[in-house]
Amino acid sequence: QLRGKGSRESGLPPGPPTLPIIGNIHQFPTQSAYLRFTEWSKQYGGIFSLKLASQTIIVISSPRLIRDFMDKRSGSMSDRPPSRIVDITTDGLSLAVARSGPVWKSLRRAVQQLLTREACFWHTPIQQAEATQMMYDLLKQPEDFFDHIQRQTFSIMLSTVCGFRSPRYADSVASLFFSIQHKWEALIAPGAHPPIDLIPALEYIPGRWASWKTITRDIRKQQRSMYFNLRDDCERRIREGRRNGCFLEDIIDQQEKLGLTRDMVGYLGGVCIEGGSATTAAYLHRFVLCISCYPDVQTRAQEEIDGLIGFNRVPTSQDIEHLPYIQAIIKEVHRFYTSGPLGIPHATTIDETIDGYFIPKGSTIFMNIYGIYHSEELYERPEIFNPERYLNSEFGTKPNADTTGLRSDLHFGSGRRICPGNHLANSSIIMNVINLLWGFDMKIADAANRDRHVPIRAEDFTTGIAIGPKPFKCNIQPRSEKHAALIREAYAQARPTLSIFEHELTPSEQKFVEDW
Ligand code: HEM
């Protein structure tokens, strides 16, 4: 039975040499797999394979192959790899990591109602009001910018999905959510836990020698408690005749038609909050990092925005149409260090061939977004944060680069699994980027790094499926007293919109809102 195990079958794409039985297990990175995958892609090309015992892994780092294989043949490319850890934690009910099949289909159909471009239009007022509170938070406690960003992205999702908000970060449901989410993402990242899917016997090792068991059990308990409580609150409000038009109310109304169980409804709310909070927060953290480490970019962006808006009003997201350099910054932050460098892995449901290679049914497919965004064949000095590249060409690529298949939203994934939250994410990003550049000067607080261009250092980033910078210090100050006054005024005007979602605040949150 063991004969041939671990070796690369003929017809598979090339890849690093394998060892008998284990294949490439010994070389598989336990963290930041995107960096190793990118090195291998330089050696083995736009498609390469790895063997983890009998399991086949395919890594695609070519935009053309992503288009031809993952987008065009999405029907057979939209499964997720089986994962015992995911099953134990979520019972297979978490949309983002669920296997394709009737459960995923029902969940995906339901989530799309919340996230169409038209539906997102209705979420704009709360997004705008939350972005305004964040500017106000930064006036009051600039040193806590990292938490203010997380609070904001979480609170937007909580309001749209569950109909109430989280006005502060410390000791709140927002901070609890992020602590669970960071553990969850780190647990399911490629290579982060023992290979129990390949060696099922590992599951029988007693818990005291297998820390993943305790972590998995804790995350399951914490996620279910949070997500099911949010669902229960919503059901209670419906029973008491106190609807407020949130997404979960619609879902509960249509539960039968959509084929959802109560557990699925709970996980649906939870996965929207998961999908929308950490990724967008990580983007904004990266934005602040890049913009504060590249002061010349910040100055140029502020000149552009001052020329359009001046100092007599706060910006709105519609201004973005007239701000080409800031549009370029938004794209460059995605390219420079994308939130999900390998996306979420897909899996094939039938045997496939591509470019003459054989891809067996059940292969795990990684889309190496980081590798594409850092390809020297596509980008001039990809390791430098340089928004100007997007003023010179649509995709920011160098002259004569082969851009076949490249698209500007690769960071949202591919095919039928493509991120359904892209419209919501884009509008939050635009609002916050414009606000921050208009209202604040951002400088990296570490004297050694000030005014020096940041290198990309993986060790400064979290590890997990979605990554962002680890907490860092940044001096954030309003650009003038006039800006600060306009922010205070805008916050006062945003209060009525925010208060629509404040019907269930705890007494201490209520006091916070009154005193803030
Ligand atoms: C900057 C922000 C965001 C980034 C970079 C991002 C990126 C991604 C990526 C790469 C995937 C995997 C796609 C694939 O498998 O091919 C994904 C899936 C998903 N995202 Fe996002 N996302 C963001 C914001 C959001 C928001 C605001 C929501 C709102 C609810 C959301 C909800 C989801 C869900 C539910 C899935 C799973 C889809 C499925 O498996 O069918 N994301 N996202």
Side-chain angles (χ1 to χ4, degrees):
Q1 268 189 339
L2 289 178
R3 195 179 313 138
K5 205 170 181 180
S7 61
R8 182 170 284 108
E9 294 87 350
S10 72
L12 282 184
T18 56
L19 290 178
I21 302 174
I22 61 169
N24 302 105
I25 288 184
H26 61 301
Q27 295 159 309
F28 199 90
T30 52
Q31 56 181 24
S32 307
Y34 57 95
L35 294 174
R36 193 85 176 95
F37 285 4
T38 299
E39 277 169 35
W40 275 327
S41 73
K42 287 181 191 154
Q43 199 175 343
Y44 299 106
I47 180 163
F48 69 85
S49 65
L50 299 166
K51 291 298 295 183
L52 303 187
S54 53
Q55 173 64 20
T56 303
I57 310 276
I58 304 289
V59 180
I60 304 187
S61 314
S62 142
R64 178 183 65 79
L65 288 174
I66 284 174
R67 181 195 64 186
D68 293 350
F69 195 42
M70 301 190 69
D71 290 334
K72 289 194 179 164
R73 297 192 218 168
S74 177
S76 57
M77 205 62 57
S78 297
D79 202 0
R80 296 285 188 217
S83 162
R84 228 2 235 140
I85 294 232
V86 165
D87 289 346
I88 297 171
T89 321
T90 70
D91 293 343
L93 302 181
S94 178
L95 165 63
V97 282
R99 306 291 308 271
S100 66
V103 168
W104 172 73
K105 276 201 183 116
S106 305
L107 293 168
R108 177 93 195 187
R109 202 173 340 126
V111 92
Q112 265 155 346
Q113 293 184 13
L114 172 76
L115 297 168
T116 58
R117 198 186 286 273
E118 297 70 41
C120 288
F121 177 75
W122 295 104
H123 309 315
T124 310
I126 184 63
Q127 272 184 302
Q128 206 125 33
E130 289 286 10
T132 305
Q133 171 167 340
M134 193 176 92
M135 285 200 285
Y136 183 72
D137 293 342
L138 289 172
L139 287 186
K140 298 203 64 159
Q141 278 175 352
E143 65 284 3
D144 291 337
F145 78 96
F146 215 81
D147 293 348
H148 297 321
I149 287 176
Q150 300 198 141
R151 184 211 64 77
Q152 185 212 172
T153 59
F154 173 78
S155 192
I156 291 172
M157 294 316 301
L158 194 65
S159 312
T160 49
V161 173
C162 304
F164 66 96
R165 63 185 296 263
S166 184
R168 61 148 198 238
Y169 189 76
D171 301 323
S172 71
V173 62
S175 51
L176 175 64
F177 165 79
F178 274 99
S179 78
I180 305 171
Q181 183 64 12
H182 290 318
K183 281 188 273 175
W184 170 227
E185 283 179 10
L187 180 71
I188 57 173
H193 55 77
I196 50 171
D197 298 305
L198 303 171
I199 312 169
L202 289 176
E203 210 176 325
Y204 298 99
I205 293 179
R208 61 181 180 279
W209 293 304
S211 61
W212 66 267
K213 286 190 167 179
T214 323
I215 300 172
T216 307
R217 208 174 32 242
D218 286 352
I219 294 175
R220 174 185 168 88
K221 218 163 112 192
Q222 292 174 326
Q223 280 186 339
R224 289 169 80 86
S225 157
M226 176 178 275
Y227 301 163
F228 292 178
N229 277 339
L230 291 172
R231 174 207 58 199
D232 295 350
D233 284 349
C234 195
E235 287 173 340
R236 177 175 48 77
R237 286 201 308 273
I238 294 176
R239 274 197 310 276
E240 293 169 359
R242 296 192 297 117
R243 289 169 176 267
N244 60 19
C246 68
F247 171 63
L248 273 190
E249 284 171 6
D250 274 359
I251 294 302
I252 291 167
D253 289 344
Q254 299 176 53
Q255 194 173 320
E256 213 170 312
K257 190 176 110 202
L258 291 166
L260 304 175
T261 60
R262 279 187 79 232
D263 280 8
M264 285 162 83
V265 173
Y267 272 106
L268 196 54
V271 87
C272 290
I273 295 172
E274 283 177 24
S277 306
T279 44
T280 315
Y283 178 94
L284 294 173
H285 289 148
R286 291 196 316 277
F287 164 76
V288 173
L289 180 66
C290 293
I291 214 71
S292 54
C293 290
Y294 285 78
D296 41 339
V297 173
Q298 189 172 163
T299 307
R300 183 166 168 190
Q302 287 172 336
E303 281 166 9
E304 183 180 70
I305 207 162
D306 291 348
L308 181 74
I309 292 170
F311 310 97
N312 294 318
R313 67 168 175 96
V314 289
T316 71
S317 45
Q318 282 84 40
D319 292 320
I320 191 70
E321 280 175 41
H322 310 290
L323 297 167
Y325 188 63
I326 294 178
Q327 288 175 30
I329 291 178
I330 291 174
K331 291 180 193 161
E332 179 68 344
V333 173
H334 275 303
R335 185 202 67 80
F336 189 60
Y337 231 103
T338 191
S339 296
L342 294 172
I344 304 176
H346 290 220
T348 51
T349 48
I350 55 172
D351 289 344
E352 283 281 6
T353 51
I354 181 84
D355 274 17
Y357 295 121
F358 174 65
I359 313 291
K361 173 181 173 180
S363 300
T364 296
I365 315 285
F366 282 103
M367 175 176 173
N368 186 8
I369 304 168
Y370 177 91
I372 294 172
Y373 281 171
H374 286 265
S375 154
E376 278 161 7
E377 284 168 20
L378 288 173
Y379 300 96
E380 197 78 54
R381 303 198 59 198
E383 76 290 357
I384 298 291
F385 180 75
N386 175 21
E388 196 155 341
R389 66 178 88 239
Y390 284 96
L391 297 179
N392 301 329
S393 76
E394 184 186 358
F395 300 119
T397 46
K398 60 190 191 188
N400 306 323
D402 178 4
T403 56
T404 313
L406 197 59
R407 48 184 164 83
S408 54
D409 62 352
L410 272 186
H411 41 269
F412 285 120
S414 65
R416 293 186 189 174
R417 287 280 187 163
I418 200 162
C419 173
N422 54 359
H423 302 305
L424 198 67
N426 284 336
S427 54
S428 260
I429 286 170
I430 290 170
M431 272 172 214
N432 283 291
V433 164
I434 302 189
N435 281 351
L436 288 169
L437 285 169
W438 168 82
F440 297 90
D441 285 322
M442 292 162 270
K443 288 198 180 115
I444 203 78
D446 167 4
N449 273 326
R450 187 171 307 156
D451 294 342
R452 212 190 56 176
H453 291 177
V454 264
I456 305 173
R457 288 190 308 209
E459 63 269 27
D460 295 335
F461 282 72
T462 57
T463 53
I465 291 248
I467 60 163
K470 291 179 189 158
F472 58 97
K473 289 204 162 50
C474 184
N475 282 325
I476 301 190
Q477 285 179 350
R479 292 180 60 211
S480 72
E481 186 39 48
K482 194 145 193 207
H483 287 90
L486 282 169
I487 292 170
R488 282 187 213 102
E489 206 178 295
Y491 177 62
Q493 283 165 7
R495 281 295 311 141
T497 306
L498 296 171
S499 66
I500 298 172
F501 299 90
E502 288 175 351
H503 44 92
E504 299 212 348
L505 297 185
T506 61
S508 74
E509 283 174 334
Q510 188 64 49
K511 180 152 185 355
F512 171 85
V513 169
E514 282 157 18
D515 296 347
W516 197 227

